[in-house]
Amino acid sequence: LRQRAGAGSLQGLGEIGTQYEGIAPDDPRLDAYFSLAEELDLPVLIHTAGLGAHVPSFRAALGSPLLLEEVVLKHPRLRIYIENAGYPYLDDAIALLTQYPQVYADVSTVTWIVPRTAFYRYLRGLIDAGLGKRIMFGSDQMEWPEVIDRAVDAIESADFLTTEQKRDIFYNNAARFLRLPS
């Protein structure tokens, strides 16, 4: 990974999907990856959610964003973003995002896999907690590109979001987090 990063062919690490293997995000086996990402200033995407593919080893409880607290304490310069914004662990997501400014959240499959009203309740909770500058859009679609339109519509149709908040979710927040050139 270090070689690939040095050659410019590695821009980040993710999706770390250890939750599907029953492995907690703070498991010591992941520490070398987090250490390398922190050292090389690579953003890290990790699956956090109480929902996922129906496989025997998936554990919903391992989707709590608060399980990342020891990781960010040990690696304070690590830029990490939590997939699906940690749905349905709203209070845990708010606590982690509020306490640690290097943690962002993306809304990917949660934009369309749960009922829209449930997604809006969750998204509004993040917005009401003052975290609108830390939410990023994500498609998470390699197999079902047809749902990207539904994901975009979920943000565009959210009447409680301002135009600026929508622009932040679709681009500005990711540009800042990923340190994209202006």
Side-chain angles (χ1 to χ4, degrees):
L1 292 176
R2 184 182 300 282
Q3 257 182 328
R4 289 184 64 194
S9 64
L10 182 65
Q11 305 296 316
L13 297 181
E15 165 188 358
I16 295 176
T18 53
Q19 182 182 7
Y20 287 100
E21 300 300 322
I23 298 170
D26 59 354
D27 189 289
R29 290 175 283 183
L30 299 174
D31 194 57
Y33 296 103
F34 294 134
S35 293
L36 182 68
E38 181 182 33
E39 176 189 335
L40 300 178
D41 193 29
L42 297 171
V44 173
L45 166 63
I46 190 162
H47 187 275
T48 61
L51 49 93
H54 299 283
V55 295
S57 53
F58 181 86
R59 296 294 178 266
L62 298 180
S64 169
L66 279 180
L67 293 174
L68 287 163
E69 186 168 32
E70 293 305 316
V71 172
V72 297
L73 286 171
K74 186 172 184 178
H75 305 283
R77 293 182 341 270
L78 179 66
R79 291 182 294 140
I80 192 163
Y81 60 113
I82 56 175
E83 188 173 4
N84 295 307
Y87 182 91
Y89 300 106
L90 180 60
D91 291 338
D92 292 3
I94 290 171
L96 188 72
L97 291 162
T98 300
Q99 190 66 30
Y100 304 101
Q102 72 273 36
V103 180
Y104 278 54
D106 89 351
V107 288
S108 52
T109 54
V110 72
T111 59
W112 59 269
I113 206 162
V114 300
R116 179 91 38 113
T117 54
F119 169 62
Y120 281 168
R121 187 171 41 255
Y122 198 83
L123 180 60
R124 185 187 297 267
L126 294 170
I127 294 294
D128 288 349
L131 297 168
K133 297 286 187 189
R134 307 273 285 296
I135 304 166
M136 304 182 294
F137 181 79
S139 65
D140 192 26
Q141 289 312 310
M142 297 73 59
E143 296 183 37
W144 311 292
E146 65 276 5
V147 298
I148 294 174
D149 288 342
R150 287 174 35 202
V152 169
D153 182 65
I155 302 300
E156 288 290 350
S157 298
D159 61 7
F160 58 91
L161 293 175
T162 66
T163 301
E164 179 183 351
Q165 288 170 324
K166 291 174 186 179
R167 197 169 37 248
D168 285 346
I169 291 169
F170 281 128
Y171 178 76
N172 293 334
N173 296 341
R176 183 175 53 260
F177 178 79
L178 298 171
R179 301 188 180 138
L180 300 177
S182 305

